[in-house]
C-alpha cells in the first residue's frame, strides 16, 4: 500500500471512524477500505479520462471564454477550491523582464509541447539525485543565470505575496523547506523553487500537464515581448482565458491539461515559476527524520472535552492544544474534491490533543 493511500485509509478508519459499521471480509477492514478506494479511483480516472478525451476532440474555440478586461479573474470548482487566477501586475515587473532578457544565454529553439521555443530551467532541482541541488543549466549559465534571478526577485517576491493571499496553506507548504536546506541552497524564485524561461513563441503548444510539478501546487507565469495577447486553454474545464501582456496567471499545471493558443501581435516570452514534487518529498523525509513522523500522519491520542472545558475554551479561558489536521493527501487530493466535506465532518475544537503540539509542515 502506498504511503499516501495508507495515510488516507488510517485517517478514514481510525480518526474519522467513517467505516465503523462497514461490512468487511476475512482480510480485514483496512484491506476492504483500501480496495474500495482503489476501485473508486479507477472508475473516477476512467470517467475523467473519457471526459478529457472528449474535450481534446473538441474545438477550443467553442469553449466558454473569459476575456481580459484588466480586472482580477478567479476560477474555482464547486467547493471553492482555486483552479486558476489571472490578474494585472505592476508594469515595472514586465519592463524588468524585458530589460534583463539579454542576460539569458541564447539556446536553440525546439518544437515541443509548449510550442516552438527555446528553454532554460534555473533553480532548485532534484532529478536523479538523493539531495536537492541547483540545476545543471543554472550552473552552466553562471554568472548570468544568478544575475537574471537577482534582477527579477522583486517580481517573484510580489507574486509570492499574492500566493500568500490566495492560498496561505500552500505558501507555508512551499516555504517550509527552508529550515532543512543548507545555508547556500535556497528557492530561486521567491517561494517557488525554480523557473522555466521560454523564449521566441509565436504559435501555440499542444495540450499537456506538467507531470513533475507538485500535484496540487499553483505555478505562476508572466509573459513579455512584442505580443499583445495569448489564450490559455484548460481542457477539462472546457474554458479559455485571455492573458494580455502585463498580466500574470496562477493555475494547477499538474491537474489541468493546458496549452497556449492564438498568440497575437508578435513574439511571446514566458517565465513560469514552479515547485517540483520530488523536492518537496525530500523535505518531508527530512521532517520525518527530525520529528520521528511523516508529515500529515496522525499519531496523537485525543480525549473528549467536557462541557465545562469546551465552554471555557470557547470563551478564551483555556489555552490547551489545537485539533489535529487531516493528512494533506486527503485535504488536497487531486482526484477528489472532498476537503470541504472532510472539514464539515471533522469537528475541530471539540477534541483536545493530549500530547504536545507538533509541526504540521
Amino acid at each position: 500500500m502506498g504511503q499516501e493511500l495508507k495515510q488516507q485509509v488510517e485517517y478514514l478508519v481510525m480518526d474519522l471512524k467513517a467505516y465503523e459499521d462497514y461490512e468487511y471480509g476475512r482480510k480485514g477492514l483496512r484491506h476492504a477500505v483500501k480496495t474500495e478506494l482503489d476501485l473508486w479511483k479507477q472508475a473516477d480516472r476512467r470517467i475523467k479520462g473519457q471526459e478529457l478525451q472528449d474535450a481534446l476532440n473538441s474545438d477550443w474555440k467553442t469553449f466558454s471564454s473569459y476575456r481580459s478586461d484588466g480586472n482580477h479573474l478567479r476560477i474555482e470548482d464547486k467547493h471553492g477550491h482555486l483552479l486558476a487566477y489571472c490578474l494585472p501586475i505592476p508594469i515595472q515587473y514586465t519592463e524588468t523582464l524585458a530589460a534583463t532578457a539579454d542576460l539569458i544565454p541564447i539556446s536553440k529553439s525546439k518544437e515541443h509541447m509548449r510550442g516552438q521555443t527555446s528553454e532554460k530551467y534555473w533553480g532548485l532541482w532534484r532529478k536523479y539525485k538523493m539531495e536537492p541541488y541547483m540545476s545543471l543549466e543554472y550552473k552552466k549559465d553562471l554568472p548570468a543565470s544568478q544575475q537574471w534571478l537577482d534582477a527579477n526577485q522583486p517580481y517573484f517576491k510580489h507574486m509570492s505575496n499574492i500566493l500568500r493571499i490566495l492560498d496561505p496553506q500552500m505558501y507555508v507548504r512551499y516555504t517550509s523547506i527552508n529550515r532543512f536546506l543548507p545555508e547556500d541552497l535556497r528557492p530561486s524564485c521567491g517561494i517557488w523553487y525554480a523557473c522555466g524561461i521560454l523564449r521566441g513563441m509565436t504559435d501555440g503548444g499542444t495540450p499537456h500537464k506538467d507531470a513533475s510539478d507538485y500535484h496540487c501546487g499553483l505555478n505562476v507565469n508572466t509573459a513579455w515581448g512584442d505580443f499583445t495577447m495569448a489564450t490559455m486553454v484548460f481542457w477539462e474545464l472546457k474554458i479559455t482565458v485571455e492573458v494580455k501582456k502585463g498580466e500574470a496567471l496562477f493555475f494547477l499545471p499538474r491537474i489541468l491539461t493546458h496549452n497556449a493558443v492564438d498568440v497575437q501581435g508578435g513574439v511571446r516570452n514566458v517565465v513560469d515559476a514552479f515547485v517540483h514534487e520530488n523536492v518537496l518529498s525530500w523535505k518531508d523525509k527530512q521532517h520525518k527524520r527530525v520529528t520521528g513522523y511523516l508529515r500529515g500522519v496522525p499519531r496523537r491520542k485525543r480525549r473528549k472535552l467536557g462541557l465545562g472545558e469546551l465552554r471555557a475554551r470557547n470563551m478564551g479561558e483555556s489555552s490547551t492544544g489545537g485539533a489535529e489536521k487531516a493528512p494533506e493527501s486527503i485535504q488536497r487530493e487531486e482526484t477528489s474534491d472532498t476537503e470541504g466535506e472532510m472539514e464539515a465532518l471533522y469537528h475541530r475544537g471539540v477534541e483536545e490533543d493530549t500530547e504536545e503540539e507538533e509541526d504540521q509542515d
Side-chain angles (χ1 to χ4, degrees), residues 122-137:
W122 292 341
L124 200 58
W125 220 250
R126 194 180 156 249
K127 286 191 174 181
Y128 316 117
K129 299 284 187 180
M130 295 297 293
E131 303 288 327
Y133 60 94
M134 294 301 288
S135 64
L136 298 180
E137 205 161 23

Side-chain angles (χ1 to χ4, degrees), residues 217-236:
L218 287 165
N219 287 13
V220 62
N221 67 51
T222 297
W224 76 96
D226 300 327
F227 88 109
T228 55
M229 185 177 70
T231 298
M232 184 68 79
V233 184
F234 296 113
W235 292 89
E236 289 91 346

